[in-house]
Amino acid sequence: MILEGIVTTLDSHGEINVAPMGPIVDEAIETLTLRPFKTSQTYRNLKVRPCGVFHVIDDVLLLARAAIGQWDTQPTTFPAEKVEGAVLASACRWYEFEVVTVDDRDERTTIEASVVHRGWLRDFFGFNRAKHAVVEAAILATRLHLVGREEILKQFEPLRVIVDKTAGQQESAAFELLEGYVARAHETR
């Protein structure tokens, strides 16, 4: 099963990278299969420091900002306990992991990781339909290089209807951020 969340990794200088990612997880979340592209900072960081932290979140504005790399300020973090890494202070729960294997023969890599520590900060609020729509929009926004702006904007249309009907302030702000980002992007296909 794919579980959408956020992965934090550190580069060779200790700078934090915050990236949305949907690893394949087992039911107990003891293993993660990450599939970053070779061009991603997450991939480069995991090659240098083979560990990180996977976060379960319900803050879709954080997810949207991570997807497109647009921050007012970097999210608050604290040090991981068992790996060289950073935990998002706003996460619901987190899973510290160590890389077991890397298969980077293809452009989209396959990284198998083992969870070595887990933590809980608060209960998961849950997702309403607008939160789901923002997650889908964030995934689409990260695919500009594969799909192209016009097609993504077309796919945003039914998501906008859901957001308009069911969103709170956070979901509306996240969707508007993603919509603006895609609308301003240069056509890539």
Side-chain angles (χ1 to χ4, degrees), residues 19-182:
M21 190 159 297
I24 298 169
V25 300
D26 60 344
E27 204 166 295
I29 312 180
E30 294 176 351
T31 61
L32 308 171
T33 302
L34 307 167
R35 303 226 35 243
F37 288 97
K38 283 184 186 177
T39 56
S40 73
Q41 188 64 48
T42 299
Y43 168 77
R44 290 190 297 273
N45 289 357
L46 289 173
K47 290 291 279 190
V48 172
R49 292 181 196 242
C51 58
V53 182
F54 174 68
H55 304 81
V56 174
I57 64 161
D58 53 15
D59 180 345
V60 294
L61 185 54
L62 175 66
L63 182 86
R65 288 189 184 289
I68 61 175
Q70 290 188 1
W71 302 101
D72 294 334
T73 59
Q74 283 285 358
T76 304
T77 62
F78 58 88
E81 294 181 32
K82 302 289 184 190
V83 302
E84 279 188 278
V87 176
L88 294 170
S90 64
C92 299
R93 58 187 195 271
W94 80 90
Y95 300 85
E96 298 175 27
F97 64 85
E98 293 178 342
V99 172
V100 177
T101 63
V102 176
D103 179 353
D104 53 9
R105 291 175 288 184
D106 296 322
E107 182 57 28
R108 188 149 190 202
T109 66
T110 300
I111 299 173
E112 300 292 338
S114 179
V115 172
V116 296
H117 182 72
R118 62 190 72 223
W120 175 90
L121 293 169
R122 62 182 178 83
D123 288 340
F124 180 77
F125 178 79
F127 281 121
N128 65 8
R129 291 178 62 212
K131 286 185 185 285
H132 283 292
V134 171
V135 169
E136 291 302 319
I139 292 167
L140 286 168
T142 67
R143 302 297 189 255
L144 276 166
H145 65 289
L146 298 172
V147 180
R149 183 188 67 200
E150 295 307 319
E151 178 59 29
I152 289 174
L153 288 173
K154 183 176 167 185
Q155 291 183 37
F156 269 29
E157 291 172 13
L159 299 173
R160 165 53 79 187
V161 172
I162 294 167
V163 169
D164 288 346
K165 285 182 181 180
T166 65
Q169 186 177 14
Q170 180 192 84
E171 297 83 15
S172 293
F175 194 82
E176 287 171 17
L177 179 72
L178 294 167
E179 210 169 37
Y181 173 80
V182 172

